[in-house]
Amino acid sequence: MPPLKHKAILSPMCLAHSLADSILYCAMDSFVRDKFLKKANDFIKELMLDGQLVRATDPFFAKKSSKLFMQKSADLKHEIQAWIPYEKKSIAVGSINLHLNTFGERFAMNVENCVASSACFGIGYERLTYSLFAQNGPLLNTWDGSVLDVLGL
């Protein structure tokens, strides 16, 4: 048997561990949905990211599960997809998960006498950093000043 060949992997999609940050928000259902989808679109615009917000599903749900059906039919998951020019593909750099009133019921959270809905907005730092450098190049002094301002650089 020939020896195994090792191939270097230079991609944040293959990390065993990664850093992410999430915002959790609770309010009336329509407000939560509208606020988070708008926030995601604003995020893309502020970073001048060549990307878009797309409907998504979680890969860990079985293909015929009721959870996957619910996620698709109720439009509960969206991803921020960023274009990676030299790979000629997009990667997910963030996601929004709408929980409806699951946690509101479980933890007795109410808003205006109604069960609260919740959502979380998460960003993967390595993937976002990777996409920004892939789109803007390795030299920060060549990036648009407004992007650097948003990033606090």
Side-chain angles (χ1 to χ4, degrees):
M1 176 179 271
L4 295 174
K5 291 187 178 183
H6 297 284
K7 188 175 180 181
I9 299 173
L10 301 173
S11 171
M13 275 47 70
C14 299
L15 296 173
H17 301 282
S18 62
L19 295 173
D21 210 348
S22 294
I23 299 169
L24 179 65
Y25 197 84
C26 297
M28 299 293 289
D29 182 56
S30 60
F31 183 79
V32 169
R33 182 178 295 271
D34 294 345
K35 180 164 182 85
F36 272 76
L37 296 180
K38 182 180 179 330
K39 278 267 188 225
N41 279 311
D42 290 348
F43 181 79
I44 293 166
K45 288 176 189 166
E46 287 173 11
L47 289 177
M48 298 174 71
L49 198 60
D50 183 2
Q52 62 181 337
L53 187 63
V54 298
R55 290 178 68 179
T57 57
D58 285 309
F60 47 80
F61 289 146
K63 290 188 186 211
K64 294 184 179 181
S65 76
S66 61
K67 288 182 180 181
L68 181 63
F69 176 77
M70 178 66 169
Q71 194 173 50
K72 282 182 174 181
S73 63
D75 201 21
L76 298 179
K77 183 175 182 81
H78 296 81
E79 287 181 344
I80 297 173
Q81 294 276 330
W83 182 248
I84 306 300
Y86 68 90
E87 290 188 28
K88 296 184 173 66
K89 69 176 189 177
S90 292
I91 62 168
V93 298
S95 68
I96 295 171
N97 292 287
L98 303 167
H99 312 133
L100 302 177
N101 62 4
T102 302
F103 294 111
E105 286 180 354
R106 176 80 171 111
F107 298 107
M109 295 184 295
N110 292 300
V111 177
E112 297 176 14
N113 296 320
C114 294
V115 176
S117 289
S118 63
C120 61
F121 181 10
I123 298 295
Y125 290 126
E126 292 88 354
R127 286 174 169 236
L128 178 60
T129 301
Y130 177 62
S131 66
L132 287 168
F133 276 96
Q135 291 180 17
N136 296 294
L139 303 174
L140 291 178
N141 63 351
T142 64
W143 290 24
D144 188 282
S146 63
V147 173
L148 296 174
D149 288 344
V150 170
L151 296 171
L153 300 173

